[in-house]
Amino acid sequence: MIPGDQSCERQGAEPARRCVLVADDDDEIRELVCLNLGQAGFDTLEAPNGLEASRLIKENLPSAVVLDIMMPDRDGYEVCRLLRADPETLAVPVLMLTARDLIQDRIVGLQLGADDYLTKPFSPKELVLRVQSLVKRLALREKQTTLRVGPFELDPPNVRLLVDGEISSLTMIEFKLLHLLASHYGALVSRDTILREVWNYSEHTKTRTLDTHVKRLREKLGTRAEWLQTSRGNGYCLAPPNSSGSPMISATAGAQDAF
C-alpha cells in the first residue's frame, strides 16, 4: 500500500483504527507482512527506512507498528525511542520484527518501549496474531478509567502517572509494570506473572530486567518509593509501607503468591 493511503489517514485528532505501519528496508518482507495483515482485515502503511517510519507514525497515528531494527537513515531503536518520547504517539503499540535474536537485543528493544518482539525468520500467522493482540490491548486500555491507589493516580489512555498530584514521567514498560501492581493492590504479584504480563516472557525466564526496571521505577516514585515493596525471589507488591495488611511482612523468600 502506498504511504499516505486515505484508508489510514487520521480523522481529526483521533488515531486511525486497525491501520498498521510496517517499517522494514526489505521489500519482500514488507510485502509479505502487509499481505498477511491485509488478509486479516488491517489497512497498512509501508516505510522502507526509519525516517519515513517516524514521519508516517506522526502523520497517521496507526493502531500498531511492525518495526525492523536494522534500517537505513534511522534504526528501529531510535524510531521506538522517539515514538515513546512524544505524548501524542506514546501509546502506539510496537512489535519489533528483526533478525537480531540475542536476549540483549530483546531487552534493549523492550526497555525502549516495544510491546512485543518477534525474530526472523517468522511465521506470518504468528505475526498477525501478535498484532491483533496488541491492537486489542490498546482498545481495552483506551476504555479503562483512571486507577487511584494511595498517592498514585494512573491514567491508562494517556499513559500518565500522578504522584501526590504531580506528574511523573514513565516509559511504557514502567507504566505497564506499575499498573499491573496497582491492579493487584496489596497483593504479591509473582515474578513470573510480571514477566509474562509486561514483557510477554515465558514462565521461569531467568533475567534481571525486571529488577532493573523496578529500581528505575522507584527512583521516579520519589518519596513514595517505599510503596513498591519486594519479596526477595518471589515478586513485588504495591502497598503502604509497614502496613499490617500488606502481604510483605518481610523481605524473606518465604512469602507466597497471593493468587
Side-chain angles (χ1 to χ4, degrees):
M1 181 171 291
I2 299 173
D5 184 287
Q6 292 295 318
S7 60
C8 279
E9 285 188 353
R10 296 173 60 170
Q11 303 299 319
E14 295 301 317
R17 302 269 44 96
R18 296 189 63 79
C19 171
V20 179
L21 171 68
V22 180
D24 198 302
D25 61 336
D26 188 314
D27 295 343
E28 292 184 358
I29 288 181
R30 283 203 321 276
E31 182 178 349
L32 176 64
V33 173
C34 288
L35 174 64
N36 282 270
L37 288 172
Q39 291 174 344
F42 289 99
D43 294 320
T44 56
L45 292 169
E46 297 182 40
N49 58 66
L51 284 176
E52 182 72 359
S54 293
R55 183 184 70 81
L56 290 174
I57 292 170
K58 186 73 172 178
E59 291 180 358
N60 295 276
L61 204 61
S63 305
V65 175
V66 177
L67 186 64
D68 183 29
I69 292 178
M70 295 180 288
M71 293 188 293
D73 299 329
R74 178 178 291 167
D75 66 29
Y77 287 146
E78 182 65 6
V79 172
C80 188
R81 187 191 68 79
L82 293 171
L83 182 150
R84 292 295 180 238
D86 186 340
E88 191 174 32
T89 60
L90 176 63
V92 175
V94 174
L95 167 64
M96 283 193 167
L97 179 65
T98 176
R100 303 179 69 161
D101 58 357
L102 296 178
I103 186 65
Q104 186 57 38
D105 295 323
R106 181 187 295 266
I107 290 173
V108 171
L110 293 171
Q111 285 178 333
L112 287 172
D115 298 272
D116 204 352
Y117 196 102
L118 188 61
T119 57
K120 302 172 184 177
F122 62 96
S123 160
K125 183 177 181 180
E126 180 183 0
L127 181 142
V128 169
L129 290 173
R130 286 175 180 256
V131 170
Q132 288 174 330
S133 177
L134 290 178
V135 172
K136 185 180 298 183
R137 270 188 273 167
L138 175 63
L140 290 174
R141 186 167 68 234
E142 290 175 341
K143 293 179 180 179
Q144 288 179 319
T145 57
T146 299
L147 178 60
R148 295 180 177 84
V149 172
F152 310 111
E153 181 177 312
L154 294 95
D155 177 9
N158 296 304
V159 194
R160 186 178 64 174
L161 169 68
L162 298 180
V163 181
D164 292 317
E166 298 293 327
I167 294 178
S168 179
S169 178
L170 301 184
T171 65
M172 178 65 75
I173 288 291
E174 290 165 348
F175 187 88
K176 289 168 67 175
L177 171 57
L178 185 61
H179 191 274
L180 176 64
L181 296 176
S183 299
H184 296 83
Y185 178 64
L188 175 66
V189 184
S190 70
R191 293 182 63 89
D192 280 346
T193 296
I194 297 172
L195 289 171
R196 182 182 67 248
E197 295 296 325
V198 178
W199 282 275
N200 296 313
Y201 281 3
S202 58
E203 192 173 357
H204 305 310
T205 298
K206 301 298 182 183
T207 175
R208 304 302 298 179
T209 189
L210 171 56
D211 309 273
T212 300
H213 277 81
V214 166
K215 180 180 179 181
R216 292 175 180 169
L217 182 54
R218 282 195 174 116
E219 292 173 354
K220 293 185 178 182
L221 296 182
T223 59
R224 299 296 191 175
E226 292 184 355
W227 280 67
L228 208 173
Q229 302 182 34
T230 304
S231 176
R232 193 170 296 118
N234 290 279
Y236 295 92
C237 169
L238 191 68
N242 304 318
S243 61
S244 59
S246 169
M248 316 298 283
I249 298 173
S250 67
T252 63
Q256 299 296 315
D257 288 0
F259 55 89

